[in-house]
């Protein structure tokens, strides 16, 4: 009985996390594209700026490059973990839970890492609304991904 209730919670969290990871990937892809298009162009007669960073983003602040890079990695791994989670929801056995849980834990760890860079970016300031949106989504995703992990583990302990 409790396992079926947790299955519903887990499926709702899967759908929510999929939507949020897709939005993070969309905004992160925009930021990466903008950085590639408007980044530094170093020619033979140009000098590097004094505080040159190889991860330079024309919007945001000094933490933006790290934040966007790890947000994209967390988004891709998060989507991959959701695929494993869908397989677990279909089977809903202890055998399928280990793959779903391990992928979800890895995705959660990378999401928490990206969230740490989001907090640093918030601390420094001077960022646009798209980056603020991605920061908020990663902070929320770090909690919802953890709740998803708890939901699939709680169901297996009741069997």
């Amino acid at each position: 009985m409790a396992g079926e209730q947790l299955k519903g919670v887990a499926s709702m969290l899967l759908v929510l996390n999929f939507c949020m990871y897709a939005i993070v990937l969309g905004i992160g892809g925009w930021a990466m594209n903008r950085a590639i298009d408007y980044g530094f162009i170093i020619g033979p007669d140009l000098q590097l700026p004094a505080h040159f960073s190889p991860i330079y983003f024309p919007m945001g602040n000094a933490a933006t490059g790290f934040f966007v890079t790890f947000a994209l990695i967390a988004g891709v791994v998060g989507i991959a973990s959701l695929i494993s989670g869908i397989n677990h929801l279909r089977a809903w056995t202890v055998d399928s839970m280990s793959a779903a849980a391990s992928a979800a834990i890895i995705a959660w760890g990378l999401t928490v890492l990206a969230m740490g860079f989001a907090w640093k970016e918030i601390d420094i300031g001077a960022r646009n609304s798209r980056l603020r949106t991605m920061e908020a989504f990663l902070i929320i995703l770090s909690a919802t991904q953890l709740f998803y992990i708890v939901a699939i583990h709680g169901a297996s302990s009741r069997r």
Side-chain angles (χ1 to χ4, degrees):
M1 176 74 169
E4 290 301 318
Q5 290 173 344
L6 287 175
K7 185 177 181 180
V9 170
S11 63
M12 188 238 359
L13 287 170
L14 266 178
V15 171
L16 176 67
N17 287 352
F18 175 77
C19 294
M20 292 179 71
Y21 275 126
I23 291 170
V24 165
L25 284 174
I27 296 172
W30 165 83
M32 187 65 72
N33 185 45
R34 184 134 174 106
I36 291 169
D37 288 346
Y38 298 106
F40 287 121
I41 299 172
I42 306 298
D45 58 340
L46 297 175
Q47 297 293 324
L48 287 174
H51 299 288
F52 175 73
S53 171
I55 305 176
Y56 171 74
F57 280 70
M59 76 299 251
N61 52 42
T64 302
F66 297 103
F67 168 61
V68 170
T69 302
F70 282 101
L72 284 170
I73 293 169
V76 169
V77 174
I79 294 289
S81 77
L82 297 175
I83 293 169
S84 176
I86 290 169
N87 184 40
H88 174 59
L89 280 178
R90 288 186 318 123
W92 202 248
T93 63
V94 176
D95 296 333
S96 66
M97 193 269 305
S98 61
S102 61
I105 289 170
I106 292 169
W108 177 70
L110 289 169
T111 303
V112 169
L113 180 63
M115 182 189 65
F117 284 116
W119 284 348
K120 184 62 179 176
E121 191 176 46
I122 291 168
D123 183 48
I124 294 173
R127 65 226 191 269
N128 65 19
S129 63
R130 291 180 184 164
L131 292 175
R132 281 189 218 124
T133 302
M134 194 162 71
E135 292 162 1
F137 273 58
L138 278 167
I139 291 169
I140 294 167
L141 267 168
S142 66
T144 59
Q145 187 73 10
L146 181 63
F147 293 150
Y148 167 70
I149 294 167
V150 168
I152 61 175
H153 272 91
S156 69
S157 68
R158 298 194 189 278
R159 288 190 169 248

